[in-house]
Amino acid sequence: MHAPSTKNKTAATWLAFIGGQLGLHRLYLFGLGDIWAWMHPIAAALGWWGVERVRMYGQDDQLAWFLIPLLGFTLAGTALTAIYYGLMPPEKWNAQHNPAMPDAAAGNTNWLTIGAIVFALLFGAISLMSSIAFSFQRYFEHQVAEARKISQ
């Protein structure tokens, strides 16, 4: 008889934090057929393309203005996912991911889980605030440039 595999909350939390932009946490929890797992690397790749465009064409590249925040919001979203996974009560974790074993130890929180939560909070907040600041800065610079054109 085949024993059911358990999904470890700590592993999922670290995968969401470290490999979230690649969708590794979704692949771990839901398998290769999960469409959302394959959307993460696409969004991240577009964001990294925006970073490369800024390096090549400078800060005035308007396509990069859209693409770079996409990367930041992807990183912030996966950090939030890591926090959500890490703070989930063991009973709820096991009910969702280990239904055959409601009292599995894989759903417990330990110091490694807390470490992932702390790092995800730190880097997620940095990614989110940087993306918001970059977006607003570019938006208002564009508005000022358009106003100058009108006034001349």
Side-chain angles (χ1 to χ4, degrees):
M1 177 142 165
H2 179 358
S5 65
T6 58
K7 303 295 183 188
N8 188 294
K9 179 168 73 169
T10 302
T13 303
W14 277 103
L15 284 172
F17 171 59
I18 294 174
Q21 65 179 328
L22 301 175
L24 296 180
H25 61 293
R26 303 262 332 165
L27 292 172
Y28 172 69
L29 292 174
F30 305 109
L32 295 174
D34 183 43
I35 188 72
W36 293 109
W38 299 108
M39 299 306 267
H40 284 79
I42 293 170
L46 288 172
W48 283 113
W49 181 42
V51 170
E52 185 61 28
R53 287 185 63 91
V54 166
R55 295 182 76 197
M56 289 173 47
Y57 304 118
Q59 292 184 356
D60 293 331
D61 182 39
Q62 290 185 354
L63 183 57
W65 296 357
F66 172 74
L67 295 175
I68 290 175
L70 188 61
L71 173 65
F73 293 136
T74 300
L75 293 173
T78 56
L80 181 63
T81 301
I83 294 167
Y84 174 73
Y85 287 165
L87 294 178
M88 188 180 293
E91 301 80 27
K92 185 175 179 182
W93 177 266
N94 287 330
Q96 285 184 359
H97 302 290
N98 302 319
M101 301 176 68
D103 57 346
N108 291 342
T109 302
N110 58 39
W111 66 272
L112 285 172
T113 313
I114 300 301
I117 293 169
V118 168
F119 285 121
L121 183 59
L122 174 68
F123 291 110
I126 290 170
S127 297
L128 180 62
M129 295 310 296
S130 298
S131 297
I132 291 170
F134 181 82
S135 298
F136 281 134
Q137 176 188 355
R138 294 292 165 214
Y139 173 76
F140 288 117
E141 285 177 356
H142 180 71
Q143 292 298 319
V144 167
E146 292 299 317
R148 284 186 183 147
K149 287 180 189 176
I150 292 171
S151 69
Q152 291 178 355

